[in-house]
Amino acid sequence: MKCSEAMRHLHAYAMRSGGNPDDPVYRHFQECSSCGSELALQREILDAMKDMPVPVKSDAQWQELNRVILSKLPPASKTVRFPTLRPAIKWAVAALFVLSVISFNLIISSHRQSQPSVSAIESEVFPRISHIEGNVFSEDTLMSGKEITVEKHSPILSGHMFRTGENSVLNMQLDKTSSLQLSGNSRLEIVQCVENSQIFKLENGKVKAEVGKREAGRVFRVETPNAACEVVGTRFCVSVERSGGSEAIKTVLSVEEGLVRFKTRSGKEMFVEAGKSAEVIGEQFSAPEKKCDTRQINRKKDSSEKIDKDSAAEDPRLASALRLIESGEFGQALDELQRILSDTSVPSKVRAIALKKAALCFKITGKPERSLEVLRTIAEGPFSRHEKESALFESANLLSTSFRKYDEAIKGFRAYIKRYPDGIWIEEASFALAELLHLQKDFENAADVYKKLISDYPGSSRVKDALYSLARIYSRDMKDCDRALGYFGRIEKDFPESDIIEDALFWKGDCLFNQGRASQAIAQYNRYLEKYPDGKWAAEAKARVSVSEVSGVQ
Amino acid sequence: MNIQSSESKQISVERDRQLVEQALGGDQHSFSQLFFNHKEMVHRVIYRFLGACEEADDAVQQTFVELFKSLSNYEGKSKFTTWLYRIAINVSIQFLRKRHSGIKADRLDPDFLPDSGNNELVEKEELRKQISIALSSMEIRKRVVVILHDIEGRTMEEISEIIKVPLGTVKSRLFHGRDELRKKLKKVMNQV
């Protein structure tokens, strides 16, 4: 290799600590003294630049600088730019301004007596603390980190962590219709509290939320360490119980009114209706869950949201139904959709969207059989390919997640794959089919579908999970460790920093161990332990290493 | 860990947005809060360009005054810190232009340089001093990128947003800037 060629890669290699002896560029830097010294100098420079010192100022100096800056600030009114106008127009604008000020003053003076008192105005400021009982503290997690006693006029800002003492209560009024009540011995972080997004994180204890009707796009969410509850207009209660590690965290949601979307951290979700409760322990729902893949939702949104919006613009009744759905009024939305569907003159595009939205409302309100019926109508009806294929996919999904009729769901996904081999849901349908076959212990067919997914859609977000499932099918279910090792190796190579790498490293060791390749297994376990010294398989890996060492393998 | 840090970044972005809104409404306390939240970052960037001098404090003041004047233009499309970086860099460049020359070695503040007898430390400090001198004579466009990337640790994407130039241009300026810096330092070292 020529020096000039190696020098083109100098900066990239200077930022790495080691290298691969098979790599010709790396080898050149090792062998060529001139390029090697350039590399060493570049590394030295980058290293020195990492922590270039800056003189430290004392608090008093910063305070003084702040004071000087404040004294130099122009009056607030000067910050507003006045548009460049010709003199005549300027005079006209000025005259208009004077007139409007006079009129405004007249109006104000005539209404002055009917103005609310200052305290009444203050009470309209949101969010605010409306009631405190016992000991309540707040900590600014972003800034000072110091804990202070909360008083009625204390601010509620993003990043604040509120903590209640035993038998203490804190009430927060978030807006005119929404409030939160934090029970004793609880910790609640204000993640975000602005008009359109109210997000809280309950670290421990219990919080009761009363949430007024939300306009479309307004978010209200209470997160816990292992779950999230998102509402559209309801009254509910969330509590977190900890009794050990993250697997032992239990989040309990009880819904008093309305409907709450209950999500685990891994993205599984279910809807909990009024009068019902549900639990998430670790990452699992303890009540029967209705699986819903968020990635699918996102993709569906991407592809069809525009079509829905365009159609809604054409039909005000559809626009109104969409608004009702977004604000959680599914019953009213269904009435509106029914009116659209009974009108024979509506265009096919609007009819398809109305049916699709009706299926959604039925599903959310716990009527999956009606939802399935509607989806089948779309899938077989005279609608666009986009709507038909989405409906076919959704119906198979519903059979799997709501009805748990896996054989029928498998048929549905197979039908989708056959009918729409280039469909927008093809990756998800293939993955869901493989998962169901795996679940039905049809390992060979499951493996075939996973393999086809990997080879046909190498860029799919499902490839990583498909590789891992394949590796586990071969290692655990089909006892074919040779093949499993190939797939574990590919995970290590292609997804070295992914969320499955920890498991893949350990199970690769397990494969080697089961094959009797003890020294390689030990090396693999040690690789695992080096990367995850406190990992979930660390104890098992250590035990296997020590067993092998005792039996003299090394 | 990543989730945590991205969450806290999101919170601080939201916090800045709130403070900007409140400062725009005439709340001086909120503006002071913005100052205290970002004072070190602004001071650091200015110091990288101007070195330790009386002008550095003036430039910090000027940056925050400029920030206040332009608060109403902040649309929240970019991160507040990106915007503030841009202002601090522009102010630094204005000061440099006024000065008509780069920082000199004697402008480095000796008070914070370690006076340890440890040779390695002294050598590293000497190298840093030479880096500062070499940077001061570098063309401003390249200097900005090298300082932001290699000293401040900003990503190329962030730099592209801060100085509003395409990513490819940032990469090219960084490559040539680093090359120039290394060649200058090599020359100095050979002389020594």
Side-chain angles (χ1 to χ4, degrees), chain A residues 10-11 38 42 47-48 51-54 57 62 66 72 74 81 140 142-143 158 192 194, chain B residues 11 14-15 17-18 32 35-37 39 44 48 57 61 68 73 112 124 128 175 178 182 186:
Chain A
L10 179 79
H11 300 141
E38 292 281 350
Q42 187 64 55
D47 183 50
D51 47 353
M52 298 270 277
V54 175
K57 281 189 185 295
W62 285 123
N66 180 45
K72 287 188 171 180
R81 286 183 181 175
D140 189 338
L142 287 177
M143 304 302 295
S158 306
Q192 196 170 50
V194 291
Chain B
I11 294 167
E14 179 54 35
R15 165 70 67 89
R17 203 189 57 75
Q18 277 180 357
S32 283
F35 168 78
F36 282 106
N37 288 357
K39 62 186 189 318
R44 206 176 55 230
R48 307 283 186 222
D57 272 5
Q61 287 173 25
F68 183 81
N73 298 335
F112 72 98
K124 201 165 184 180
R128 286 186 184 132
F175 182 87
R178 278 174 169 178
R182 194 180 67 258
K186 198 175 160 188

Side-chain angles (χ1 to χ4, degrees), chain A residues 103-160:
Chain A
S103 316
F104 181 71
N105 282 338
L106 285 171
I107 294 164
I108 291 296
S109 59
S110 65
H111 287 81
R112 187 149 288 175
Q113 286 185 337
S114 62
Q115 274 190 343
S117 66
V118 173
S119 61
I121 293 168
E122 276 182 357
S123 70
E124 291 298 302
V125 173
F126 302 111
R128 63 186 165 82
I129 289 166
S130 53
H131 178 70
I132 299 172
E133 258 178 58
N135 300 316
V136 181
F137 307 94
S138 109
E139 176 194 319
D140 189 338
T141 54
L142 287 177
M143 304 302 295
S144 62
K146 286 179 192 163
E147 198 171 71
I148 54 159
T149 303
V150 172
E151 293 164 359
K152 202 141 180 217
H153 294 288
S154 298
I156 300 174
L157 291 171
S158 306
H160 277 187

Side-chain angles (χ1 to χ4, degrees), chain A residues 345-357:
Chain A
S345 66
V346 292
S348 159
K349 191 168 67 175
V350 173
R351 179 174 292 275
I353 292 163
L355 281 168
K356 187 171 74 177
K357 296 297 172 188

Side-chain angles (χ1 to χ4, degrees), chain A residues 341-409:
Chain A
L341 293 167
S342 55
D343 177 354
T344 51
S345 66
V346 292
S348 159
K349 191 168 67 175
V350 173
R351 179 174 292 275
I353 292 163
L355 281 168
K356 187 171 74 177
K357 296 297 172 188
L360 175 74
C361 290
F362 283 132
K363 183 182 163 188
I364 290 174
T365 51
K367 292 170 188 149
E369 63 293 335
R370 297 290 307 277
S371 180
L372 187 62
E373 198 183 318
V374 176
L375 287 169
R376 282 177 170 161
T377 306
I378 306 171
E380 303 304 329
F383 301 110
S384 69
R385 178 199 147 122
H386 172 80
E387 298 297 350
K388 282 164 71 100
E389 75 165 273
S390 291
L392 182 57
F393 173 78
E394 280 296 337
S395 59
N397 217 18
L398 202 61
L399 282 164
S400 163
T401 56
S402 294
F403 295 93
R404 295 177 190 268
K405 290 182 178 175
Y406 299 131
D407 287 333
E408 282 187 53

Side-chain angles (χ1 to χ4, degrees), chain A residues 173 175-179 210-214 218:
Chain A
Q173 192 68 38
D175 53 44
K176 276 184 184 171
T177 54
S178 305
S179 62
E210 192 162 339
V211 190
K213 279 184 186 173
R214 322 293 292 169
R218 287 188 69 197

Side-chain angles (χ1 to χ4, degrees), chain B residues 25-155:
Chain B
D27 180 2
Q28 257 194 5
H29 176 74
S30 296
F31 188 76
S32 283
Q33 193 65 60
L34 281 171
F35 168 78
F36 282 106
N37 288 357
H38 301 287
K39 62 186 189 318
E40 267 135 10
M41 183 269 270
V42 170
H43 178 242
R44 206 176 55 230
V45 172
I46 286 170
Y47 179 80
R48 307 283 186 222
F49 284 95
L50 306 183
C53 53
E54 283 171 13
E55 283 173 314
D57 272 5
D58 293 343
V60 172
Q61 287 173 25
Q62 183 64 31
T63 300
F64 280 96
V65 172
E66 291 296 328
L67 169 73
F68 183 81
K69 283 183 190 168
S70 58
L71 273 182
S72 57
N73 298 335
Y74 179 59
E75 294 170 342
K77 283 179 186 164
S78 58
K79 265 189 356 189
F80 178 77
T81 46
T82 304
W83 190 47
L84 192 52
Y85 258 117
R86 197 179 301 146
I87 297 174
I89 291 167
N90 283 335
V91 169
S92 303
I93 293 171
Q94 282 169 21
F95 273 74
L96 282 176
R97 284 186 180 146
K98 271 187 222 164
R99 195 194 274 174
H100 292 300
S101 65
I103 59 166
K104 302 284 189 298
D106 58 6
R107 283 190 184 262
L108 287 166
D109 184 353
D111 292 345
F112 72 98
L113 292 176
D115 54 357
S116 150
N118 182 330
N119 277 343
E120 207 176 306
L121 266 182
V122 172
E123 275 174 21
K124 201 165 184 180
E125 282 318 320
E126 181 56 33
L127 176 62
R128 286 186 184 132
K129 200 166 127 182
Q130 295 304 335
I131 289 172
S132 296
I133 296 166
L135 275 173
S136 69
S137 61
M138 190 185 282
E139 191 192 351
I140 284 181
R141 289 189 305 178
K142 282 189 262 179
R143 195 191 324 175
V144 168
V145 175
V146 172
I147 287 176
L148 289 179
H149 191 274
D150 289 344
I151 303 183
E152 284 289 295
R154 300 292 104 197
T155 64

Side-chain angles (χ1 to χ4, degrees), chain A residues 209-510:
Chain A
E210 192 162 339
V211 190
K213 279 184 186 173
R214 322 293 292 169
E215 288 155 22
R218 287 188 69 197
V219 179
F220 186 100
R221 189 163 71 228
V222 175
E223 297 171 351
T224 71
N226 63 335
C229 312
E230 197 167 308
V231 302
V232 280
T234 192
R235 195 157 66 213
F236 70 103
C237 193
V238 192
S239 67
V240 179
E241 294 165 26
R242 292 166 184 264
S243 55
S246 60
E247 311 81 53
I249 296 173
K250 181 160 94 174
T251 296
V252 183
L253 166 71
S254 310
V255 180
E256 295 178 23
E257 270 181 40
L259 187 77
V260 179
R261 182 186 286 124
F262 198 22
K263 266 182 174 176
T264 66
R265 274 182 76 90
S266 56
K268 292 176 185 167
E269 65 177 38
M270 66 185 293
F271 288 90
V272 183
E273 295 166 64
K276 293 190 177 172
S277 65
E279 292 177 359
V280 172
I281 301 173
E283 291 287 331
Q284 300 297 324
F285 285 107
S286 65
E289 62 179 289
K290 295 172 183 175
K291 282 187 191 170
C292 186
D293 190 322
T294 51
R295 276 178 287 189
Q296 289 174 2
I297 289 174
N298 290 340
R299 186 165 166 190
K300 182 178 178 181
K301 273 186 175 171
D302 288 347
S303 61
S304 65
E305 219 164 47
K306 193 178 178 305
I307 300 172
D308 292 1
K309 276 184 184 163
D310 291 347
S311 305
E314 280 175 33
D315 190 316
R317 291 170 302 179
L318 186 59
S320 154
L322 295 185
R323 276 197 301 274
L324 286 165
I325 289 169
E326 282 187 346
S327 56
E329 302 289 355
F330 301 110
Q332 286 181 41
L334 274 168
D335 291 342
E336 193 71 73
L337 293 167
Q338 188 58 49
R339 276 191 282 278
I340 299 169
L341 293 167
S342 55
D343 177 354
T344 51
S345 66
V346 292
S348 159
K349 191 168 67 175
V350 173
R351 179 174 292 275
I353 292 163
L355 281 168
K356 187 171 74 177
K357 296 297 172 188
L360 175 74
C361 290
F362 283 132
K363 183 182 163 188
I364 290 174
T365 51
K367 292 170 188 149
E369 63 293 335
R370 297 290 307 277
S371 180
L372 187 62
E373 198 183 318
V374 176
L375 287 169
R376 282 177 170 161
T377 306
I378 306 171
E380 303 304 329
F383 301 110
S384 69
R385 178 199 147 122
H386 172 80
E387 298 297 350
K388 282 164 71 100
E389 75 165 273
S390 291
L392 182 57
F393 173 78
E394 280 296 337
S395 59
N397 217 18
L398 202 61
L399 282 164
S400 163
T401 56
S402 294
F403 295 93
R404 295 177 190 268
K405 290 182 178 175
Y406 299 131
D407 287 333
E408 282 187 53
I410 286 171
K411 278 184 197 163
F413 286 125
R414 281 199 194 283
Y416 179 91
I417 293 165
K418 192 176 171 189
R419 208 178 296 175
Y420 304 108
D422 58 345
I424 59 164
W425 300 104
I426 190 69
E427 291 161 36
E428 281 79 11
S430 303
F431 191 80
L433 173 63
E435 277 195 316
L436 287 178
L437 291 166
H438 191 180
L439 194 72
Q440 300 285 71
K441 299 194 187 302
D442 185 352
F443 302 125
E444 277 194 19
N445 279 323
D448 286 344
V449 179
Y450 280 131
K451 281 184 216 165
K452 191 164 167 28
L453 170 66
I454 294 164
S455 66
D456 289 357
Y457 312 103
S460 166
S461 61
R462 297 295 196 180
V463 166
K464 178 194 68 171
D465 292 327
L467 280 169
Y468 183 74
S469 295
L470 256 180
R472 292 296 286 144
I473 285 176
Y474 282 121
S475 65
R476 181 187 52 201
D477 306 311
M478 295 173 79
K479 309 289 178 206
D480 186 344
C481 280
D482 282 333
R483 285 193 183 188
L485 284 170
Y487 289 112
F488 281 129
R490 194 163 155 195
I491 293 169
E492 273 190 275
K493 183 172 153 273
D494 293 346
F495 304 99
E497 299 303 328
S498 67
D499 56 340
I500 56 167
I501 194 68
E502 182 181 359
D503 290 315
L505 287 177
F506 177 79
W507 291 116
K508 187 178 174 187
D510 188 67

